[in-house]
Amino acid sequence: MQSDLISTSLHERFAQAGRVLVLTGAGISAESGVPTFRGGGNTTVWKGMPFDVISSAMMMQRDLPAVWEWFDYRRSILQSLRPNRGHLELARWADRFPEFTLVTQNVDGLHQAAGSRDVIELHGSVWRARCVMCRTNYEIIPEVKRLDACLDCGAWLRPDVVLFGEMLPPGRFEMAAERAADCQLCFVIGTSALVYPAASIPEIAKAAGAFVCEVNPERTPLSDLCDEVLTGKAGDVLPLISKS
Ligand code: BV8
């Protein structure tokens, strides 16, 4: 991919920035083989249900086993997949800036698998379960049968993900919003920017005066707000940004 894709001003800002925030979505995991939710105009459907129906608080109230079946399927796909160049590049960025914040909507754990630390998982993780009563967390390990009930209080376990219609975990969005309001450079990578409150993070950064840059093969509702739009795949574009 030609290196003149990146403007001189972005190269300069990247070289000088002290406080950088990155928001990622399903697009950064696409090159690892993780299906995105929306792409090519259609929305992911599971057993006839659009993903934002099976991944909803309503569905969990009505049929927790069905919700578990959906996330067991998601883990079965993820088990053999590895982080890609996009994930690996962002893991390197953490050591490049005095203050680097990685916020993700992804529940796949691939940022952590790439070596990123302190990732703010806005929507949780498919690799954790949580007790519906005492909120005790349990790690879900591949090849090990996952628990159905809490060992402490015996109540049901549910996927530790944020479902549609559910509030984000206390403090998680607030932490991301605080960092967004304080960053100088904000990258929005691989998200259709349709799900809130996650999509408001770059809006907060922009309103606070940050330079906002989008990386996506397609335009999104956020593109017009961005100072720079880099049209391409994260795995191709991110290494170009670092190369100065
Ligand atoms: C809440 C976990 C309070 C589960 C997820 C304001 C306006 C309108 C609606 C609302 C609003 N506020 C709240 C709502 C309701 C709702 C919402 O936003 N609905 C949307 C659909 C309109 N939000 C909520 O319910 C949130 N909770 O607000 O609580 C409340 C409570 C009650 C009532 C009201 C308010 C909770 C939302 C979290 C839900 N859980 N995930 C699971 O994973 O199954 S959301 C899930 O979907 C993901 O985490 C992610 O956030 C979203 C998918 O979006 P993306 O990640 O962007 O993926 P997508 O496929 O769409 O796009 C991929 C992009 O990548 C594309 O642009 C593509 O071009 C690009 N791409 C492809 N390949 C590449 C690439 N980019 C780079 N490189 C590539 N190679």
Side-chain angles (χ1 to χ4, degrees), residues 25-177:
I28 196 155
S29 295
E31 293 156 76
S32 296
V34 183
T36 60
F37 296 86
R38 293 179 192 79
N42 49 28
T43 294
T44 298
V45 171
W46 166 260
K47 297 197 171 179
M49 289 177 279
F51 84 92
D52 50 5
V53 171
I54 181 70
S55 281
S56 70
M58 171 271 295
M59 186 53 72
M60 203 183 74
Q61 298 309 326
R62 185 189 307 171
D63 189 349
L64 176 58
V67 173
W68 264 127
E69 202 188 343
W70 161 233
F71 286 103
D72 291 346
Y73 163 73
R74 303 263 295 273
R75 274 196 315 280
S76 69
I77 291 182
L78 286 170
Q79 225 158 291
S80 58
L81 302 181
R82 293 288 160 271
N84 63 64
R85 286 187 303 162
H87 296 110
L88 297 168
E89 194 60 38
L90 291 179
R92 281 191 283 274
W93 287 11
D95 308 323
R96 193 186 176 113
F97 300 103
E99 273 186 53
F100 179 77
T101 305
L102 178 53
V103 183
T104 190
Q105 298 167 77
N106 301 344
V107 295
D108 58 28
L110 288 175
H111 281 303
Q112 293 89 337
S116 288
R117 300 173 307 284
D118 313 324
V119 179
I120 299 179
E121 294 178 310
L122 286 180
H123 297 159
S125 172
V126 294
W127 300 105
R128 283 194 308 271
R130 182 176 86 234
C131 173
V132 296
M133 198 60 70
C134 69
R135 301 184 70 82
T136 300
N137 259 323
Y138 294 85
E139 199 184 338
I140 301 175
I141 297 150
E143 318 303 339
V144 176
K145 184 176 173 341
R146 69 170 166 76
L147 293 169
D148 280 325
C150 178
L151 300 174
D152 292 1
C153 74
W156 289 116
L157 298 185
R158 55 157 290 165
D160 187 28
V161 297
V162 178
L163 301 171
F164 283 96
E166 290 185 330
M167 305 296 277
L168 276 56
R172 196 107 32 110
F173 175 77
E174 292 73 11
M175 160 85 79

